[in-house]
Amino acid sequence: MEKDPASSPRKPARGRHDREILALAIPAFGALVAEPLFVMADSAVVGHLGTAQLAGLGVAAALLTTAVNIFVFLAYATTAAVARRVGAGDLPAAIRQGVDGIWLALLLGALVIAVVLPAAPAVVGLFGASPTAAPYATAYLRISSLGIPAMLMVLAATGVLRGLQDTRTPLYVAVGGFAANAGLNAGLVYGAGLGIAGSAWGTVIAQNGMAAVYVWVVIRGAKRHAQDDGPPGTGERSALWALLRPDPAGIRACARAGVPLLVRTLSLRAVLLIATAVAAGLGDAEIAAHQITLTVWSLLAFALDAIAIAGQAIIGRYLGADDPEGARAACRRMIAWGVVCGVVLGLLVALARPLVGPLFTSDPAVRDALTSALLVVALAQPVCGIVFVLDGVLMGAGDGPYLAWSMLATLAVFAPAALAVPALGWGLTALWWAMTLMMLTRLAALWLRARSGRWIVTGAAR
């Protein structure tokens, strides 16, 4: 960011930004961590049914997670759009924007079900499930796909609440959903004797329950802002329906805003797939160590992504309120938080490296590869901290097209670097240096954009 001494925030302003960031980031982190617990709960319950059932769950869960994460733009784009309208002081329009996102989520979820139900056996086979695991994977995938519309609605509704500067409600819903999921899984799998199908149904019920809670929260918010313009009772209902009804133009606008973020997400997924494919070609010990390293990297990303989520909500609100200086000051403060968190996380990983290996494996070869790779991850964390923050800032500003192009450019840099690792006879450590190069490329692109100030477009809509 350009540093203009005249516009640098004073200490009281810095304190206000710190309170805002922490108030949004801490609950957001809790909600982010709660999401993977769904899969963990399923794995813990299904694992006692047998190896084939657990293998089937592993394949199906990977497919479902990918299907849902592809549409994470439903949360990101909705957060930015709603936050702008909140900043502009137009709460009914903020609710209307969020409702459009929820309707889009419902439509996309229905399309995913229409594809997954008939294609489940072929998709499971494509992912190499064994003949014993494939029937379980297919059954779990088909049943769990019925929860995809609910999960996409949860993404969109979470974006609505984040845009409204509320990250506590998503935390409460996520924790409640996890608790319900764990209880339902145990009851249906063992109590009702449904096996892996019971685990899938338990997850679907919990997901739809979460979606129902979010819909209730949004409807309650819409009622609060519905205007009574007609006869008693009639005008309020009419205004409420105007806020909640499907609006084709609004849904199309949400879809258009989400396309660049979809491109960004797919490009990032391609990076991770390439890295995993390269690691698999290096040998069994390397791919095992890579998966553990990627797990640690993903956990660290949750902490940094919490700041990015705060950035989306805060930056969108400032720009909607026609306060570019407030947006710049908040951006600078979040960068500082990103650096500090990155340094702290990096030090923790560096110190904990000898302890991580024994938690996951007793293989000396895997532990050796893991220790070196984790050192690279530790060194990269300050860079990751800035990247995640700037990513959130530009999302909050609605700068999706730039994020899409910059991520495509990053993929173009990373792919040859990663593919060169086995060609040059290098190992897993070199692959994670290529991952660090990927993050440095993202840092350069995002930093240049932040300094240019072109992301600062004020108003209720970009």
Side-chain angles (χ1 to χ4, degrees):
M1 291 293 297
E2 293 176 332
K3 295 197 174 183
D4 179 1
S7 65
S8 295
R10 299 188 182 116
K11 286 185 179 180
R14 287 174 55 183
R16 185 183 73 250
H17 289 312
D18 288 345
R19 288 191 295 273
E20 285 183 333
I21 293 166
L22 291 175
L24 292 172
I26 292 175
F29 173 69
L32 289 168
V33 172
E35 291 173 11
L37 294 178
F38 270 91
V39 176
M40 290 179 63
D42 288 1
S43 299
V45 173
V46 172
H48 293 286
L49 293 175
T51 302
Q53 289 91 332
L54 185 58
L57 172 65
V59 172
L63 291 168
L64 288 164
T65 300
T66 300
V68 172
N69 285 344
I70 284 174
F71 298 109
V72 73
F73 71 83
L74 289 167
Y76 294 159
T78 304
T79 297
V82 171
R84 276 183 175 269
R85 285 157 178 79
V86 169
D90 192 349
L91 290 178
I95 296 291
R96 173 73 261 175
Q97 182 74 41
V99 169
D100 290 338
I102 293 173
W103 279 111
L104 176 61
L106 188 59
L107 292 173
L108 291 174
L111 289 174
V112 173
I113 289 179
V115 171
V116 170
L117 284 179
V123 174
V124 166
L126 185 64
F127 273 71
S130 69
T132 55
Y136 297 112
T138 300
Y140 189 93
L141 182 60
R142 277 180 164 161
I143 296 171
S144 293
S145 68
L146 301 177
I148 288 179
M151 285 310 295
L152 298 189
M153 290 173 68
V154 166
L155 284 176
T158 300
V160 176
L161 295 178
R162 289 172 181 171
L164 293 170
Q165 318 295 297
D166 176 9
T167 56
R168 290 183 178 273
T169 300
L171 171 61
Y172 300 148
V173 176
V175 171
F178 166 69
N181 181 57
L184 286 166
N185 269 260
L188 294 175
V189 171
Y190 298 113
L194 296 180
I196 194 170
S199 176
W201 281 116
T203 300
V204 168
I205 294 170
Q207 290 167 341
N208 279 276
M210 292 171 66
V213 171
Y214 275 120
V215 168
W216 175 76
V217 170
V218 171
I219 290 175
R220 186 181 64 177
K223 283 182 176 179
R224 189 178 302 125
H225 299 292
Q227 300 297 318
D228 191 354
D229 296 325
T234 304
E236 184 176 348
R237 287 195 298 270
S238 177
L240 179 61
W241 173 241
L243 287 175
L244 296 178
R245 65 178 174 79
D247 177 16
I251 294 171
R252 286 194 299 269
C254 286
R256 284 194 299 271
V259 168
L261 295 180
L262 175 61
V263 172
R264 168 202 169 274
T265 300
L266 291 175
S267 300
L268 183 56
R269 288 281 155 190
V271 165
L272 299 178
L273 287 173
I274 290 171
T276 300
V278 170
L282 296 176
D284 290 346
E286 285 75 10
I287 183 59
H290 174 75
Q291 288 303 113
I292 297 170
T293 306
L294 192 59
T295 299
V296 173
W297 190 76
S298 299
L299 180 61
L300 299 172
F302 283 135
L304 298 174
D305 203 28
I307 305 174
I309 288 170
Q312 294 170 31
I314 293 171
I315 294 298
R317 193 188 76 231
Y318 274 116
L319 294 178
D322 290 320
D323 186 359
E325 291 306 317
R328 289 190 182 95
C331 177
R332 282 192 291 267
R333 198 62 194 150
M334 280 182 280
I335 289 173
W337 273 100
V339 172
V340 170
C341 291
V343 170
V344 171
L345 291 174
L347 289 173
L348 290 175
V349 172
L351 293 173
R353 282 185 307 142
L355 305 176
V356 174
L359 291 175
F360 290 92
T361 179
S362 58
D363 189 329
V366 176
R367 289 186 183 183
D368 289 344
L370 178 63
T371 301
S372 298
L374 285 177
L375 179 58
V376 179
V377 171
L379 294 173
Q381 287 312 295
V383 173
C384 294
I386 302 174
V387 168
F388 274 79
V389 165
L390 290 180
D391 206 41
V393 166
L394 296 187
M395 282 185 190
D399 205 7
Y402 183 84
L403 289 171
W405 284 112
S406 64
M407 197 62 223
L408 285 171
T410 299
L411 176 60
V413 171
F414 170 76
L419 296 174
V421 169
L424 295 173
W426 294 340
L428 184 65
T429 303
L431 175 60
W432 275 92
W433 277 119
M435 289 285 285
T436 303
L437 173 64
M438 179 269 293
M439 295 303 293
L440 286 169
T441 304
R442 291 182 70 188
L443 174 61
L446 297 175
W447 187 264
L448 287 173
R449 186 65 166 182
R451 283 185 61 84
S452 74
R454 293 179 181 176
W455 57 277
I456 300 176
V457 179
T458 59
R462 185 178 173 90

